[in-house]
Amino acid sequence: MLSIALAGKPNAGKSTLYKAATMADVDVGNYPFTTIDANRGVSHVRTDCPCLDREQRCEGDNCRDGKRYVPVELIDVAGLVPGAHEGRGLGNQFLDELTNADVILNVVDASGGTDAEGEPVEVGEHDPVEDVDFIQEEMDLWLASIVDRNWESIERQSRSPDFALDESLVDLLAGVGASELDVARTLRELDYPEDPIAWTDEDREALAREIRERTKPIVVVANKADIAPEENIERLREAADIVVPATADGELALRNAAKAGVVEYDPGDTDFDIVGDVSDQQQQGLEKIREVMTEFGGTGVQGAMDTAVYDLLDQITAYPVQNDTKWTDGQGNVLPDAHLLSRGSTPKDLAYAVHSDIGDGYTHAVDARKEMRVSDETELEEGAVIKIISDG
């Protein structure tokens, strides 16, 4: 399961976003360090379900009339403050949690209503652009400190005649999610001394920065967009590559209202319908949320996760089935399972995603859409429906 981590300073709205995205029971408060121990839960990314191409819709909980929700892990940990990489606040605890994350949502208080430490100030008083740079810098310095602490080992290894810098760095950086390919591509981008003993602090920081960009890509969530000055949203868009305006409060309100039967709303919808009795005050609150959704195309919570997984990580969704005619499993359930795979993945990769034994015993696959056997080298596309034939 892919893992998304929520980063940000205290009181930016991470816990509210986490609660809205998972509907888990967590503390939400208007003060720094609401979160002490990491919260881990299951949320979902949204895509179009292949059942839209069939007469029969899926009956599972993860498909709502063709809106398919694919599970991902969501992690919410303590907020970062300046100096977190040196252990200030709960920084070390937070940064260590990032080692298992595939992508980061940097939740920024776009309203400028909290200072660098997460303390409340007047809306517009703090510059939210500073929070974009600050999170990246803390993560880069944290990774640089890991490299520094272990560099003496690299230097010792370099005295060996069969020393290979890339292999040593893979061993060093595997714990933060760096693969052989990540290290190889990073070294191609850097200008560095051949002898590790000659590396400077600047060389190691450049290595850490490049590794972080490759292994911990970031989507900026401009939270509290409902109360943020318009110029703040625009400046955030100029300051970061990917920015998604959001109202975590609005998303949580809609999910609670939908659970209570007051509104019809599915996460990621651009609008909702009021179907239950509401007071005048509730009506006003819901209409305020609707205004924000109209402006930004939704509350942004689902959109941020979808952007992180499908755009930034470039994932696709593939659906294994046992019956390639009816698109069902052995019990007759239509499209019961969905797997996220990197773009370029093959049917055999899907087999391993289902189970290692299925992958080990893989013989061939059938494209259920085209009703034909496909090559083992076929690159799967979004929404692929595949029957795997395996001895496993």
Side-chain angles (χ1 to χ4, degrees):
M1 188 182 295
L2 281 180
S3 180
I4 302 173
L6 303 179
K9 69 184 183 184
N11 210 17
K14 297 191 312 305
S15 294
T16 302
L17 193 154
Y18 175 87
K19 185 169 185 176
T22 62
M23 292 304 287
D25 186 16
V26 297
D27 289 332
V28 176
N30 189 30
Y31 51 86
F33 302 121
T34 304
T35 303
I36 302 299
D37 297 320
N39 294 310
R40 291 176 177 269
V42 175
S43 188
H44 300 82
V45 290
R46 172 174 161 169
T47 188
D48 290 334
C49 185
C51 72
L52 289 169
D53 297 328
R54 311 277 288 189
E55 292 183 5
Q56 182 180 358
R57 294 286 176 267
C58 300
E59 298 175 354
D61 293 337
N62 287 338
C63 182
R64 306 178 188 178
D65 196 26
K67 305 167 188 176
R68 186 70 182 221
Y69 293 91
V70 187
V72 293
E73 181 184 37
L74 193 62
I75 307 171
D76 171 35
V77 296
L80 290 172
V81 294
H85 69 282
E86 297 174 335
R88 187 165 179 266
L90 299 174
N92 284 342
Q93 174 182 327
F94 176 90
L95 291 165
D96 287 344
E97 290 289 346
L98 295 182
T99 58
N100 295 320
D102 296 294
V103 64
I104 309 296
L105 299 186
N106 179 7
V107 183
V108 172
D109 178 0
S111 75
T114 46
D115 65 17
E117 303 283 341
E119 298 288 352
V121 295
E122 292 295 322
V123 168
E125 185 174 330
H126 179 73
D127 183 0
V129 173
E130 294 179 7
D131 301 333
V132 175
D133 299 333
F134 145 69
I135 290 297
Q136 293 180 357
E137 182 180 0
E138 288 295 334
M139 291 174 61
D140 291 346
L141 292 175
W142 165 68
L143 277 173
S145 70
I146 293 175
V147 173
D148 282 338
R149 289 197 302 270
N150 293 276
W151 198 253
E152 186 177 343
S153 174
I154 300 287
E155 293 178 348
R156 287 198 303 269
Q157 295 173 38
S158 69
R159 300 187 181 99
S160 171
D162 58 351
F163 171 74
L165 178 61
D166 55 347
E167 293 178 4
S168 295
L169 287 177
V170 169
D171 291 339
L172 169 60
L173 297 168
V176 297
S179 66
E180 292 183 19
L181 184 59
D182 292 326
V183 171
R185 288 176 172 173
T186 293
L187 291 177
R188 283 201 297 269
E189 293 293 324
L190 299 178
D191 183 16
Y192 57 89
E194 184 175 343
D195 184 355
I197 297 176
W199 279 50
T200 64
D201 289 343
E202 288 74 18
D203 292 325
R204 287 185 284 272
E205 286 185 14
L207 171 69
R209 185 163 49 251
E210 185 72 23
I211 285 291
R212 194 273 304 160
E213 290 177 357
R214 291 188 181 279
T215 64
K216 303 292 179 286
I218 297 175
V219 171
V220 172
V221 181
N223 193 32
K224 307 183 185 181
D226 50 323
I227 60 172
E230 184 176 344
E231 59 269 22
N232 280 13
I233 302 293
E234 293 306 314
R235 292 182 63 250
L236 284 168
R237 283 174 165 157
E238 294 172 359
D241 293 332
I242 303 177
V243 177
V244 179
T247 168
D249 281 338
E251 177 72 13
L252 182 57
L254 285 179
R255 294 211 189 189
N256 283 330
K259 187 177 180 180
V262 175
V263 303
E264 286 185 354
Y265 170 74
D266 291 326
D269 285 353
T270 58
D271 201 356
F272 59 89
D273 292 319
I274 300 175
V275 294
D277 295 331
V278 295
S279 66
D280 291 343
Q281 184 177 6
Q282 289 172 325
Q283 177 83 31
Q284 292 175 5
L286 288 170
E287 292 304 326
K288 177 64 176 178
I289 295 172
R290 196 194 304 274
E291 291 176 10
V292 178
M293 295 175 71
T294 300
E295 180 176 1
F296 297 115
T299 69
V301 172
Q302 187 67 57
M305 294 190 294
D306 295 347
T307 297
V309 171
Y310 287 115
D311 295 340
L312 198 54
L313 294 182
D314 201 16
Q315 298 284 298
I316 64 165
T317 322
Y319 302 79
V321 295
Q322 292 188 37
N323 187 314
D324 53 311
T325 301
K326 297 182 178 179
W327 295 10
T328 58
D329 63 9
Q331 288 71 48
N333 301 306
V334 178
L335 299 169
D337 300 312
H339 292 269
L340 292 168
L341 301 172
S342 298
R343 188 171 299 279
S345 294
T346 65
K348 192 168 185 177
D349 293 323
L350 175 59
Y352 273 108
V354 173
H355 196 282
S356 59
D357 290 344
I358 302 296
D360 289 341
Y362 173 89
T363 60
H364 64 279
V366 175
D367 185 327
R369 288 183 179 275
K370 299 178 181 178
E371 299 181 345
M372 61 180 291
R373 179 168 172 170
V374 293
S375 163
D376 296 350
E377 288 75 38
T378 298
E379 293 188 4
L380 301 179
E381 298 180 352
E382 170 63 28
V385 182
I386 302 294
K387 177 180 179 179
I388 299 167
I389 290 81
S390 172
D391 296 332

mmCIF file of all heavy atoms in Angstrom, residues 328-356:
data_model
loop_
_atom_site.group_PDB
_atom_site.id
_atom_site.type_symbol
_atom_site.label_atom_id
_atom_site.label_comp_id
_atom_site.label_asym_id
_atom_site.label_seq_id
_atom_site.Cartn_x
_atom_site.Cartn_y
_atom_site.Cartn_z
ATOM 1 N N THR A 328 -15.052 -10.751 -12.788
ATOM 2 C CA THR A 328 -15.358 -11.102 -11.407
ATOM 3 C C THR A 328 -14.262 -11.960 -10.807
ATOM 4 O O THR A 328 -13.396 -12.496 -11.512
ATOM 5 C CB THR A 328 -16.680 -11.887 -11.326
ATOM 6 O OG1 THR A 328 -16.571 -13.076 -12.134
ATOM 7 C CG2 THR A 328 -17.842 -11.052 -11.813
ATOM 8 N N ASP A 329 -14.317 -12.099 -9.476
ATOM 9 C CA ASP A 329 -13.430 -13.035 -8.788
ATOM 10 C C ASP A 329 -14.134 -14.393 -8.690
ATOM 11 O O ASP A 329 -15.190 -14.611 -9.300
ATOM 12 C CB ASP A 329 -13.033 -12.509 -7.407
ATOM 13 C CG ASP A 329 -14.224 -12.340 -6.463
ATOM 14 O OD1 ASP A 329 -15.344 -12.786 -6.814
ATOM 15 O OD2 ASP A 329 -14.035 -11.782 -5.367
ATOM 16 N N GLY A 330 -13.568 -15.310 -7.911
ATOM 17 C CA GLY A 330 -14.121 -16.641 -7.803
ATOM 18 C C GLY A 330 -15.480 -16.697 -7.148
ATOM 19 O O GLY A 330 -16.221 -17.675 -7.310
ATOM 20 N N GLN A 331 -15.856 -15.635 -6.407
ATOM 21 C CA GLN A 331 -17.159 -15.599 -5.730
ATOM 22 C C GLN A 331 -18.195 -14.790 -6.507
ATOM 23 O O GLN A 331 -19.306 -14.551 -6.021
ATOM 24 C CB GLN A 331 -17.009 -15.008 -4.319
ATOM 25 C CG GLN A 331 -16.312 -15.921 -3.324
ATOM 26 C CD GLN A 331 -14.827 -16.063 -3.598
ATOM 27 O OE1 GLN A 331 -14.130 -15.065 -3.805
ATOM 28 N NE2 GLN A 331 -14.336 -17.303 -3.617
ATOM 29 N N GLY A 332 -17.814 -14.340 -7.699
ATOM 30 C CA GLY A 332 -18.758 -13.586 -8.516
ATOM 31 C C GLY A 332 -18.795 -12.101 -8.228
ATOM 32 O O GLY A 332 -19.666 -11.391 -8.739
ATOM 33 N N ASN A 333 -17.876 -11.587 -7.416
ATOM 34 C CA ASN A 333 -17.828 -10.157 -7.131
ATOM 35 C C ASN A 333 -17.204 -9.411 -8.303
ATOM 36 O O ASN A 333 -16.128 -9.791 -8.788
ATOM 37 C CB ASN A 333 -17.018 -9.893 -5.864
ATOM 38 C CG ASN A 333 -17.602 -10.593 -4.652
ATOM 39 O OD1 ASN A 333 -18.776 -10.430 -4.343
ATOM 40 N ND2 ASN A 333 -16.783 -11.387 -3.974
ATOM 41 N N VAL A 334 -17.841 -8.350 -8.746
ATOM 42 C CA VAL A 334 -17.348 -7.576 -9.878
ATOM 43 C C VAL A 334 -16.206 -6.666 -9.433
ATOM 44 O O VAL A 334 -16.356 -5.878 -8.499
ATOM 45 C CB VAL A 334 -18.483 -6.741 -10.503
ATOM 46 C CG1 VAL A 334 -17.952 -5.902 -11.661
ATOM 47 C CG2 VAL A 334 -19.614 -7.646 -10.974
ATOM 48 N N LEU A 335 -15.059 -6.812 -10.107
ATOM 49 C CA LEU A 335 -13.892 -5.950 -9.870
ATOM 50 C C LEU A 335 -13.657 -5.711 -8.379
ATOM 51 O O LEU A 335 -13.656 -4.565 -7.904
ATOM 52 C CB LEU A 335 -14.072 -4.611 -10.585
ATOM 53 C CG LEU A 335 -14.201 -4.685 -12.114
ATOM 54 C CD1 LEU A 335 -14.647 -3.334 -12.671
ATOM 55 C CD2 LEU A 335 -12.877 -5.086 -12.748
ATOM 56 N N PRO A 336 -13.430 -6.770 -7.613
ATOM 57 C CA PRO A 336 -13.323 -6.597 -6.164
ATOM 58 C C PRO A 336 -12.036 -5.924 -5.699
ATOM 59 O O PRO A 336 -12.016 -5.308 -4.640
ATOM 60 C CB PRO A 336 -13.392 -8.035 -5.644
ATOM 61 C CG PRO A 336 -12.826 -8.852 -6.763
ATOM 62 C CD PRO A 336 -13.292 -8.178 -8.022
ATOM 63 N N ASP A 337 -10.973 -6.038 -6.483
ATOM 64 C CA ASP A 337 -9.670 -5.535 -6.041
ATOM 65 C C ASP A 337 -9.093 -4.543 -7.039
ATOM 66 O O ASP A 337 -9.290 -4.660 -8.254
ATOM 67 C CB ASP A 337 -8.676 -6.695 -5.861
ATOM 68 C CG ASP A 337 -9.148 -7.697 -4.819
ATOM 69 O OD1 ASP A 337 -9.550 -7.254 -3.724
ATOM 70 O OD2 ASP A 337 -9.119 -8.905 -5.109
ATOM 71 N N ALA A 338 -8.367 -3.560 -6.491
ATOM 72 C CA ALA A 338 -7.664 -2.575 -7.316
ATOM 73 C C ALA A 338 -6.273 -2.384 -6.747
ATOM 74 O O ALA A 338 -6.097 -2.306 -5.526
ATOM 75 C CB ALA A 338 -8.422 -1.254 -7.328
ATOM 76 N N HIS A 339 -5.273 -2.317 -7.629
ATOM 77 C CA HIS A 339 -3.888 -2.163 -7.186
ATOM 78 C C HIS A 339 -3.256 -0.954 -7.864
ATOM 79 O O HIS A 339 -3.443 -0.739 -9.071
ATOM 80 C CB HIS A 339 -3.075 -3.416 -7.529
ATOM 81 C CG HIS A 339 -3.472 -4.621 -6.739
ATOM 82 N ND1 HIS A 339 -2.896 -4.960 -5.535
ATOM 83 C CD2 HIS A 339 -4.411 -5.572 -6.978
ATOM 84 C CE1 HIS A 339 -3.447 -6.072 -5.071
ATOM 85 N NE2 HIS A 339 -4.375 -6.459 -5.924
ATOM 86 N N LEU A 340 -2.522 -0.181 -7.086
ATOM 87 C CA LEU A 340 -1.754 0.929 -7.626
ATOM 88 C C LEU A 340 -0.391 0.416 -8.063
ATOM 89 O O LEU A 340 0.306 -0.258 -7.300
ATOM 90 C CB LEU A 340 -1.595 2.031 -6.586
ATOM 91 C CG LEU A 340 -2.870 2.784 -6.214
ATOM 92 C CD1 LEU A 340 -2.649 3.653 -4.975
ATOM 93 C CD2 LEU A 340 -3.345 3.650 -7.388
ATOM 94 N N LEU A 341 -0.007 0.747 -9.292
ATOM 95 C CA LEU A 341 1.277 0.328 -9.845
ATOM 96 C C LEU A 341 1.942 1.516 -10.520
ATOM 97 O O LEU A 341 1.272 2.443 -10.991
ATOM 98 C CB LEU A 341 1.077 -0.778 -10.897
ATOM 99 C CG LEU A 341 0.384 -2.073 -10.454
ATOM 100 C CD1 LEU A 341 0.109 -2.938 -11.685
ATOM 101 C CD2 LEU A 341 1.243 -2.827 -9.451
ATOM 102 N N SER A 342 3.261 1.485 -10.578
ATOM 103 C CA SER A 342 3.987 2.533 -11.291
ATOM 104 C C SER A 342 3.690 2.433 -12.779
ATOM 105 O O SER A 342 3.576 1.328 -13.326
ATOM 106 C CB SER A 342 5.493 2.393 -11.059
ATOM 107 O OG SER A 342 5.801 2.539 -9.692
ATOM 108 N N ARG A 343 3.580 3.580 -13.435
ATOM 109 C CA ARG A 343 3.356 3.553 -14.880
ATOM 110 C C ARG A 343 4.495 2.803 -15.556
ATOM 111 O O ARG A 343 5.663 2.982 -15.207
ATOM 112 C CB ARG A 343 3.257 4.980 -15.435
ATOM 113 C CG ARG A 343 2.827 5.032 -16.891
ATOM 114 C CD ARG A 343 2.530 6.454 -17.307
ATOM 115 N NE ARG A 343 1.450 7.040 -16.526
ATOM 116 C CZ ARG A 343 0.157 6.833 -16.757
ATOM 117 N NH1 ARG A 343 -0.219 6.019 -17.729
ATOM 118 N NH2 ARG A 343 -0.753 7.417 -16.006
ATOM 119 N N GLY A 344 4.156 1.977 -16.504
ATOM 120 C CA GLY A 344 5.148 1.127 -17.143
ATOM 121 C C GLY A 344 5.147 -0.289 -16.609
ATOM 122 O O GLY A 344 5.866 -1.153 -17.118
ATOM 123 N N SER A 345 4.342 -0.540 -15.570
ATOM 124 C CA SER A 345 4.269 -1.887 -14.991
ATOM 125 C C SER A 345 3.620 -2.863 -15.982
ATOM 126 O O SER A 345 2.822 -2.482 -16.835
ATOM 127 C CB SER A 345 3.465 -1.873 -13.690
ATOM 128 O OG SER A 345 4.131 -1.136 -12.696
ATOM 129 N N THR A 346 3.980 -4.134 -15.821
ATOM 130 C CA THR A 346 3.528 -5.194 -16.717
ATOM 131 C C THR A 346 2.539 -6.113 -15.997
ATOM 132 O O THR A 346 2.352 -6.012 -14.775
ATOM 133 C CB THR A 346 4.727 -6.028 -17.189
ATOM 134 O OG1 THR A 346 5.294 -6.702 -16.040
ATOM 135 C CG2 THR A 346 5.788 -5.141 -17.824
ATOM 136 N N PRO A 347 1.909 -7.038 -16.745
ATOM 137 C CA PRO A 347 1.021 -8.006 -16.081
ATOM 138 C C PRO A 347 1.718 -8.790 -14.983
ATOM 139 O O PRO A 347 1.102 -9.107 -13.952
ATOM 140 C CB PRO A 347 0.581 -8.915 -17.235
ATOM 141 C CG PRO A 347 0.642 -8.041 -18.440
ATOM 142 C CD PRO A 347 1.841 -7.148 -18.208
ATOM 143 N N LYS A 348 2.999 -9.094 -15.168
ATOM 144 C CA LYS A 348 3.717 -9.845 -14.133
ATOM 145 C C LYS A 348 3.890 -8.996 -12.880
ATOM 146 O O LYS A 348 3.842 -9.504 -11.755
ATOM 147 C CB LYS A 348 5.067 -10.318 -14.656
ATOM 148 C CG LYS A 348 5.738 -11.343 -13.739
ATOM 149 C CD LYS A 348 6.922 -12.011 -14.413
ATOM 150 C CE LYS A 348 7.501 -13.122 -13.532
ATOM 151 N NZ LYS A 348 8.622 -13.834 -14.194
ATOM 152 N N ASP A 349 4.104 -7.700 -13.047
ATOM 153 C CA ASP A 349 4.179 -6.809 -11.879
ATOM 154 C C ASP A 349 2.864 -6.829 -11.113
ATOM 155 O O ASP A 349 2.849 -6.814 -9.876
ATOM 156 C CB ASP A 349 4.503 -5.374 -12.316
ATOM 157 C CG ASP A 349 5.897 -5.235 -12.905
ATOM 158 O OD1 ASP A 349 6.816 -5.911 -12.404
ATOM 159 O OD2 ASP A 349 6.050 -4.460 -13.869
ATOM 160 N N LEU A 350 1.760 -6.847 -11.831
ATOM 161 C CA LEU A 350 0.451 -6.929 -11.182
ATOM 162 C C LEU A 350 0.317 -8.245 -10.435
ATOM 163 O O LEU A 350 -0.216 -8.286 -9.316
ATOM 164 C CB LEU A 350 -0.669 -6.787 -12.211
ATOM 165 C CG LEU A 350 -2.100 -6.976 -11.688
ATOM 166 C CD1 LEU A 350 -2.421 -5.965 -10.598
ATOM 167 C CD2 LEU A 350 -3.113 -6.876 -12.832
ATOM 168 N N ALA A 351 0.819 -9.327 -11.025
ATOM 169 C CA ALA A 351 0.755 -10.635 -10.369
ATOM 170 C C ALA A 351 1.483 -10.600 -9.032
ATOM 171 O O ALA A 351 0.979 -11.110 -8.022
ATOM 172 C CB ALA A 351 1.363 -11.704 -11.278
ATOM 173 N N TYR A 352 2.643 -9.978 -9.005
ATOM 174 C CA TYR A 352 3.386 -9.872 -7.743
ATOM 175 C C TYR A 352 2.679 -8.950 -6.750
ATOM 176 O O TYR A 352 2.760 -9.151 -5.536
ATOM 177 C CB TYR A 352 4.807 -9.373 -8.002
ATOM 178 C CG TYR A 352 5.782 -10.492 -8.317
ATOM 179 C CD1 TYR A 352 6.271 -10.679 -9.597
ATOM 180 C CD2 TYR A 352 6.196 -11.371 -7.316
ATOM 181 C CE1 TYR A 352 7.158 -11.711 -9.893
ATOM 182 C CE2 TYR A 352 7.080 -12.410 -7.590
ATOM 183 C CZ TYR A 352 7.556 -12.572 -8.881
ATOM 184 O OH TYR A 352 8.434 -13.607 -9.151
ATOM 185 N N ALA A 353 1.986 -7.944 -7.262
ATOM 186 C CA ALA A 353 1.237 -7.057 -6.368
ATOM 187 C C ALA A 353 0.099 -7.808 -5.696
ATOM 188 O O ALA A 353 -0.245 -7.536 -4.541
ATOM 189 C CB ALA A 353 0.690 -5.861 -7.149
ATOM 190 N N VAL A 354 -0.488 -8.770 -6.397
ATOM 191 C CA VAL A 354 -1.567 -9.568 -5.810
ATOM 192 C C VAL A 354 -1.015 -10.463 -4.723
ATOM 193 O O VAL A 354 -1.511 -10.506 -3.599
ATOM 194 C CB VAL A 354 -2.272 -10.403 -6.903
ATOM 195 C CG1 VAL A 354 -3.292 -11.361 -6.276
ATOM 196 C CG2 VAL A 354 -2.959 -9.494 -7.912
ATOM 197 N N HIS A 355 0.057 -11.202 -5.034
ATOM 198 C CA HIS A 355 0.703 -12.073 -4.054
ATOM 199 C C HIS A 355 2.023 -12.571 -4.632
ATOM 200 O O HIS A 355 2.105 -12.849 -5.839
ATOM 201 C CB HIS A 355 -0.196 -13.264 -3.701
ATOM 202 C CG HIS A 355 0.210 -13.993 -2.457
ATOM 203 N ND1 HIS A 355 1.262 -14.886 -2.417
ATOM 204 C CD2 HIS A 355 -0.291 -13.947 -1.195
ATOM 205 C CE1 HIS A 355 1.392 -15.376 -1.205
ATOM 206 N NE2 HIS A 355 0.457 -14.804 -0.434
ATOM 207 N N SER A 356 3.027 -12.694 -3.801
ATOM 208 C CA SER A 356 4.339 -13.138 -4.287
ATOM 209 C C SER A 356 4.266 -14.522 -4.920
ATOM 210 O O SER A 356 4.953 -14.796 -5.919
ATOM 211 C CB SER A 356 5.359 -13.124 -3.148
ATOM 212 O OG SER A 356 4.934 -13.967 -2.083
#
